[in-house]
């Protein structure tokens, strides 16, 4: 124990896409002494924890990976259009091996606190097992969707059946055959899990608070010819991805939505529907993000698709969103979701106006007193997105100020990567960055590259670096202005924090688009890291 190294140039929290690339960049390319601390028992982040049936990515496999290394991209062959959880985990383990990362990864190590010592300009990082480590730089790669929202339903501890949380799924296979199963939640994870669980369960009851618009995934193997074309065009794909609105190599329709007759619109949307995937939105029309009538026009078209798929009109109606939903909420991808509700053993129960009152010893009781008995309950209750994981760590900066107190009314950052009063602390895909609104590996790479440039600069100047208060204030205001020009803040979503009781309602991601945000960061770097203050490391 005593000869264990505890002082580092940089400590990184999290061993998902963010943490692994940060380690590679800082250690392999910049020669720093780095340690990655990870709460889980292995690498993967999201893909380590989310092992529920049907768990997979909605970004297409050819863009859901690192693009910083040509050889890495070419040597890894994804088998399907959307990679499933085990395959992404294998990919990340391959990355670990390829870049010799394992020796600086420490698992089963949950960081509980990180305090700045202003006199020495170092961060002291405490872990759940009582160990402390210190470093000059602290980088959080804790993920936007890794603070699972454990519901506080009364009685949940007394339930005698099996309980499962989609974001904390067991590593061994879970068997539902012959069981009565209840699932609470109908977000993206539930949309993936429900058709698979329905294949096993004798009876499945789905408790839905908010219906979603869902587009077909059209999942399947990638034809060899398509894979070969992508290999040939890799550089163009990378450029397009990095310079796109959402980190996906698709462009919006050129002709404005308003200039489409209903027939023309149907043709365009049906074409995109048949292709499937997130391109329905990001290669569709941009007007629905800004204009309510345009939004509702697409919504009405999607309502029609639900009616076509779901036979029972009452169930179809319950599955149809009644509020602003399209484009301002993450669109799940459908692999038989709607059709599942045509099965006689699958039931949909709306809980918007009749919420869960309690979990009983045998199942679920709703506010109107109705009771449901289950052998297993699956909680698909989502995440405390973007700020949740950071706020769960006791991070203290200058004057002992706690980050969660500074952010009590909502997060305040500069570029979503740094916050005033917390020098040498950098966040990968923090709040007010495009992170969660983009194909995340694309944003993660860009963030890590910017952060490592900043660290290089601070080392070169022998300085500590943090954003100025003025730069932070301007960034927060800019984000609000950009978001308020759209319909996003009006919707009750994880983007606005509306899914978490008591969370301040703030629009969390940055909406400058991936290409716009990248340009802003490049400009900051070119202008001598404008908005950042470099102070002597001596204090
Ligand atoms: C079901 C699901 C589907 C998704 N699909 C897509 C998709 O289609 N496209 C897309 O772009 N993104 C998708 N995402 C988002 C996904 O999170 C990112 O793509 C990406 O995996 C984020 O990587 P990360 O390293 O930033 O964070 P994560 O993968 O979340 O990793 C963060 C790690 O930090 C660790 N950690 C957190 N706090 C602490 C602490 N205090 N101490 C120690 N360790 C800590 C966590 O244990 C975790 O392992 C999806 C997310 C989910 C949950």
């Amino acid at each position: 124990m005593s000869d264990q190294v505890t002082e580092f140039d940089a400590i990184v929290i999290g061993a998902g896409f963010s943490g692994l690339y940060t380690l590679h960049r800082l250690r392999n390319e910049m020669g720093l002494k780095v340690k990655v601390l990870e709460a889980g028992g292995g690498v993967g982040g999201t893909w380590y924890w989310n092992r529920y049936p049907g768990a997979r990515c909605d970004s297409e496999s050819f863009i859901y990976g690192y693009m910083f290394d040509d050889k890495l991209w070419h040597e890894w062959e994804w088998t399907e259009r959307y990679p499933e959880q085990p395959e992404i985990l294998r990919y990340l383990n391959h990355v670990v091996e390829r870049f010799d990362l394992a020796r600086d990864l420490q698992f089963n190590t949950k960081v509980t606190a990180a305090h700045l010592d202003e006199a020495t300009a170092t961060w002291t990082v405490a872990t759940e097992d009582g160990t402390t480590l210190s470093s000059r730089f602290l980088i959080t790669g804790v993920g936007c969707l890794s603070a699972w929202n454990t519901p506080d339903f009364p009685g949940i501890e007394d339930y005698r059946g099996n309980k499962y949380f989609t974001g904390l799924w067991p590593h061994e296979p879970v068997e539902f055959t012959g069981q009565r199963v209840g699932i609470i939640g109908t977000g993206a994870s539930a949309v993936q899990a429900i058709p698979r669980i329905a294949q096993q369960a004798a009876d499945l009851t789905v408790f839905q608070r908010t219906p979603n618009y869902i587009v077909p995934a059209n999942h399947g193997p990638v034809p060899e010819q398509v894979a070969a074309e992508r290999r040939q065009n890799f550089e163009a794909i990378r450029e397009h991805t990095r310079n796109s609105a959402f980190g996906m190599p698709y462009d919006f329709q050129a002709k404005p939505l308003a200039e489409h007759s209903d027939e023309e619109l149907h043709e365009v949307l049906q074409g995109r529907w048949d292709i499937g995937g997130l391109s329905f939105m990001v290669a569709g029309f941009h007007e629905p993000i800004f204009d309510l009538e345009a939004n509702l026009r697409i919504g009405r078209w999607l309502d029609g698709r639900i009616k076509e798929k779901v036979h029972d009109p009452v169930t179809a109606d319950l599955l149809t969103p009644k509020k602003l939903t399209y484009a301002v909420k993450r669109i799940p991808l459908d692999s038989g979701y709607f059709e599942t509700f045509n099965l006689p053993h699958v039931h949909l129960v709306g809980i918007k106006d009749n919420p869960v009152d309690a979990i009983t010893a045998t199942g679920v009781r709703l506010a109107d007193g109705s009771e449901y008995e289950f052998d297993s309950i699956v909680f698909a209750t989502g995440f405390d997105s973007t700020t949740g994981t950071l706020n769960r760590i006791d991070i203290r900066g200058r004057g002992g100020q706690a980050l969660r107190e500074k952010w009590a009314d909502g997060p305040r950052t500069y570029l979503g990567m740094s916050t005033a009063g917390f020098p040498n602390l950098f966040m990968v895909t923090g709040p007010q960055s495009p992170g969660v609104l983009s194909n995340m590996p694309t944003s993660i790479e860009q963030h890590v590259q910017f952060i490592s440039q900043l660290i290089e600069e601070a080392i070169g100047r022998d300085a500590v670096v943090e954003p100025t208060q003025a730069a932070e204030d301007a960034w927060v205001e800019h984000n609000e202005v950009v978001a308020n020009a759209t319909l996003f803040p009006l919707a009750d979503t994880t983007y606005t924090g509306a899914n978490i009781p008591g969370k301040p309602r703030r629009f969390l991601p940055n909406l400058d688009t991936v290409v716009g945000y990248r340009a802003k960061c490049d400009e900051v770097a070119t202008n001598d890291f404008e908005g950042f203050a470099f102070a002597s490391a001596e204090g």
Side-chain angles (χ1 to χ4, degrees):
M1 196 65 191
S2 56
D3 58 357
Q4 213 172 329
V5 178
T6 58
E7 288 175 15
F8 299 91
D9 296 318
I11 289 176
V12 180
I13 311 175
F17 270 94
S18 297
L20 296 180
Y21 183 41
T22 306
L23 173 59
H24 170 61
R25 185 86 178 171
L26 296 187
R27 190 199 70 187
N28 293 348
E29 295 183 350
M30 289 167 58
L32 302 185
K33 196 161 76 174
V34 184
K35 180 62 100 187
V36 178
L37 305 176
E38 164 58 54
V43 296
T46 291
W47 308 105
Y48 174 85
W49 298 106
N50 290 265
R51 297 170 188 241
Y52 57 84
R56 64 160 189 262
C57 184
D58 289 342
S59 297
E60 294 196 56
S61 51
F62 74 108
I63 52 166
Y64 195 73
Y66 297 113
M67 291 191 171
F68 66 85
D69 185 294
D70 294 26
K71 277 197 194 138
L72 170 65
W73 192 88
H74 281 287
E75 77 198 4
W76 185 264
E77 298 218 0
W78 297 100
T79 58
E80 295 183 290
R81 182 170 177 189
Y82 311 95
E84 305 225 348
Q85 173 270 334
E87 195 171 17
I88 305 174
L89 207 50
R90 278 200 300 280
Y91 167 76
L92 288 171
N93 276 293
H94 168 72
V95 169
V96 168
E97 216 171 287
R98 197 179 188 289
F99 296 108
D100 184 27
L101 302 179
R103 61 193 155 94
D104 291 310
L105 301 172
Q106 187 174 314
F107 301 122
N108 302 307
T109 306
K110 185 172 183 178
V111 172
T112 52
H115 293 180
L116 174 74
D117 179 342
E118 285 186 69
T120 58
T122 51
W123 285 93
T124 301
V125 175
T127 68
E128 206 169 39
D129 65 6
T131 313
T132 56
L133 305 91
S134 67
S135 66
R136 179 170 171 190
F137 299 100
L138 178 64
I139 299 100
T140 64
V142 291
C144 294
L145 299 173
S146 68
W148 35 89
N149 172 32
T150 316
D152 58 355
F153 297 124
I156 193 167
E157 294 310 324
D158 304 327
Y159 176 60
R160 291 201 300 263
N162 310 306
K163 271 186 297 223
Y164 302 102
F165 300 90
T166 50
L168 266 182
W169 203 261
H171 287 203
E172 54 286 353
V174 173
E175 188 57 58
F176 292 109
T177 304
Q179 292 189 10
R180 295 161 306 166
V181 181
I183 178 163
I184 301 178
T186 52
S189 300
V191 168
Q192 293 180 336
I194 284 166
R196 298 274 181 106
I197 295 175
Q199 284 170 8
Q200 287 189 347
D203 195 83
L204 175 65
T205 302
V206 177
F207 294 97
Q208 172 193 265
R209 188 169 65 175
T210 316
N212 283 306
Y213 284 125
I214 299 166
V215 298
N218 291 343
H219 189 33
V222 179
E224 178 41 39
Q225 196 199 332
V226 173
E229 278 168 19
R230 286 181 181 151
R231 279 195 293 275
Q232 254 186 350
N233 296 325
F234 168 61
E235 280 176 30
I237 291 171
R238 176 165 60 188
E239 274 314 290
H240 196 176
T241 302
R242 289 179 175 172
N243 294 300
S244 62
F246 296 105
M248 298 184 185
Y250 319 118
D251 293 315
F252 285 113
Q253 298 285 322
K255 184 172 154 182
L257 176 57
E259 290 176 18
H260 286 73
S261 67
D262 285 347
E263 291 70 33
E264 285 170 331
L265 181 64
H266 174 78
E267 210 167 295
V268 172
L269 294 180
Q270 188 65 48
R272 301 244 61 89
W273 182 265
D274 293 342
I275 293 168
L278 295 174
S279 74
F280 181 87
M281 198 193 94
V282 294
F285 297 95
H286 67 269
E287 292 92 332
I289 295 173
F290 301 96
D291 173 31
L292 187 59
E293 187 39 48
N295 190 298
L296 296 176
R297 200 170 166 208
I298 306 282
R300 285 193 293 272
W301 190 87
L302 289 166
D303 293 348
R305 305 292 75 71
I306 298 172
K307 282 200 188 82
E308 281 169 4
K309 285 183 178 233
V310 181
H311 301 158
D312 172 38
V314 177
T315 307
D317 185 59
L318 199 51
L319 287 166
T320 303
K322 305 290 182 300
K323 296 200 302 186
L324 173 67
T325 302
Y326 175 67
V328 292
K329 192 171 181 201
R330 186 176 184 279
I331 292 195
L333 298 189
D334 171 17
S335 288
Y337 177 72
F338 287 123
E339 289 84 349
T340 299
F341 293 96
N342 295 331
L343 300 172
H345 69 292
V346 178
H347 324 283
L348 180 68
V349 177
I351 55 170
K352 179 80 186 152
D353 302 319
N354 184 23
V356 174
D357 178 46
I359 305 298
T360 65
T362 53
V364 172
R365 186 174 63 237
L366 300 184
D368 67 357
S370 52
E371 300 225 14
Y372 299 81
E373 292 196 351
F374 299 117
D375 302 301
S376 297
I377 302 178
V378 175
F379 295 89
T381 41
F383 299 94
D384 182 352
S385 166
T386 313
T387 48
T389 325
L390 290 162
N391 282 337
R392 287 177 191 185
I393 306 173
D394 178 25
I395 300 176
R396 287 173 192 265
R398 289 195 192 283
Q401 185 186 29
L403 185 67
R404 60 170 83 109
E405 278 163 26
K406 174 174 174 178
W407 287 5
D409 289 332
R412 302 190 65 81
T413 73
Y414 181 44
L415 301 175
M417 289 191 262
S418 59
T419 187
F422 295 76
N424 288 359
L425 168 70
F426 306 108
M427 299 167 282
V428 184
T429 67
Q432 292 149 3
S433 87
V436 77
L437 259 186
S438 62
N439 177 52
M440 292 198 69
T442 308
S443 287
I444 287 168
E445 271 193 20
Q446 185 267 342
H447 282 59
V448 173
Q449 286 161 9
F450 182 86
I451 289 168
S452 47
Q453 266 181 292
L454 201 51
I455 288 176
E456 201 162 41
E457 189 71 17
I459 291 172
R461 298 190 197 192
D462 193 20
V464 293
V465 58
E466 67 186 290
T468 65
Q469 192 58 56
E472 177 181 294
D473 292 347
W475 186 248
V476 173
E477 198 191 327
H478 167 74
N479 273 274
E480 278 174 15
V481 169
V482 176
N484 288 339
T486 72
L487 299 171
F488 274 101
L490 305 179
D492 293 338
T493 61
T494 56
Y495 301 142
T496 55
N499 62 321
I500 302 295
K503 187 165 174 169
R505 192 180 178 111
R506 294 279 179 275
F507 188 71
L508 294 168
N510 163 274
L511 264 175
D512 283 321
T513 71
V514 162
V515 58
Y517 173 86
R518 173 185 291 275
K520 169 71 185 168
C521 291
D522 290 349
E523 188 188 306
V524 165
T526 306
N527 291 339
D528 202 19
F529 292 97
E530 189 179 15
F532 287 97
F534 293 83
S536 159
E538 302 303 313

